[in-house]
Amino acid sequence: MALQKADATITGEQNLTDADILEIQDTLVISDPTKILTSKGARYSIDGLNDTQKAQTLQQAIDEAGRSSWVYAPPATYDLNSTSASITVKFRETTLFSLGRSQCIIQNSGGGHALLIDGDEESGALYRSTIMNMACLTPKSLETLTGDAIHINGNVTSFRGINMHVIQADRDAIHIDGAPSAYIDCQITEKGLPTGIGRYTTFFDNCND
């Protein structure tokens, strides 16, 4: 990975260290505070967009970055407001991160999941993907019982959620259909325990009501 302060040029793939993330924050984020950034060198402005447009732009950035990439989401609320669409990570070796879980909210106020971790559209499985420093929310006031804050599908083989926060959930805070290996460090303030505990080799750190 190479980062250049002068023009905030970025190169490199997904294998981020803590030092890499700090350098990204110190160089790129300061120069582009309202832009979604990717390791492929793309920048997507969210300045002036509403929350749904921001979410659509974030999904575009994730999809266009593809495999072996990282995507930085600047502090904002990203709300797809959809019954069927979610912010979806479906490519292997993807890192999606922000500055902190109090500053970046992935939300779906339309009845669907807020964050969907799904299998790779080419291979059918998702490996070694990470979500960091974000909060997730599906308003429990919807009472549709269809939208999970974080939903992990069965074809995910390795996933890490680090420094996450579930603020509310219409259905489940964390719903796991079948991740053989998932590590989740998550604070849950409303709508209870993750489902799927004990069914798979899954570890939950700091999960609480």
Side-chain angles (χ1 to χ4, degrees):
M1 166 172 287
L3 302 174
Q4 300 174 13
K5 285 191 177 182
D7 59 359
T9 300
I10 49 179
T11 60
E13 298 303 322
Q14 179 270 343
N15 298 317
L16 294 177
T17 65
D18 291 343
D20 290 331
I21 292 176
L22 287 174
E23 191 172 2
I24 291 168
Q25 293 173 358
D26 288 344
T27 57
L28 303 182
V29 176
I30 291 174
S31 61
D32 287 325
T34 61
K35 290 183 180 177
I36 297 168
L37 311 172
T38 80
S39 58
K40 304 303 173 68
R43 292 164 176 76
Y44 305 78
S45 177
I46 59 171
D47 189 32
L49 301 183
N50 62 40
D51 292 349
T52 299
Q53 292 170 328
K54 290 175 184 177
Q56 293 168 342
T57 303
L58 177 58
Q59 188 63 61
Q60 178 185 354
I62 294 168
D63 292 344
E64 292 181 356
R67 292 183 177 184
S68 301
S69 63
W70 55 256
V71 177
Y72 164 77
T77 296
Y78 301 84
D79 185 354
L80 275 177
N81 192 19
S82 171
T83 58
S84 57
S86 309
I87 294 297
T88 303
V89 174
K90 61 185 177 182
F91 295 106
R92 65 176 64 185
E93 297 177 336
T94 296
T95 295
L96 173 63
F97 72 101
S98 188
L99 289 180
R101 64 188 190 186
S102 65
Q103 302 178 62
C104 181
I105 299 175
I106 305 298
Q107 176 173 322
N108 194 336
S109 58
H113 307 314
L115 179 63
L116 174 63
I117 312 301
D118 208 350
D120 192 292
E121 61 180 13
E122 295 181 22
S123 68
L126 185 143
Y127 304 100
R128 296 184 297 276
S129 288
T130 302
I131 311 294
M132 297 178 62
N133 304 334
M134 292 182 168
C136 295
L137 165 64
T138 52
K140 65 178 184 178
S141 59
L142 292 174
E143 296 184 348
T144 60
L145 298 181
T146 57
D148 302 324
I150 302 173
H151 187 99
I152 304 174
N153 268 344
N155 48 357
V156 174
T157 60
S158 178
F159 166 73
R160 295 187 307 157
I162 300 173
N163 193 32
M164 302 292 290
H165 181 196
V166 172
I167 300 172
Q168 284 185 21
D170 174 45
R171 187 174 71 169
D172 292 328
I174 303 172
H175 185 101
I176 301 176
D177 278 341
S181 179
Y183 173 91
I184 302 175
D185 169 9
C186 177
Q187 178 187 4
I188 301 172
T189 54
E190 292 212 30
K191 202 58 181 287
L193 294 171
T195 60
I197 293 179
R199 295 169 54 202
Y200 305 95
T201 308
T202 305
F203 302 94
F204 297 92
D205 278 10
N206 302 324
C207 286
N208 56 74
D209 290 324

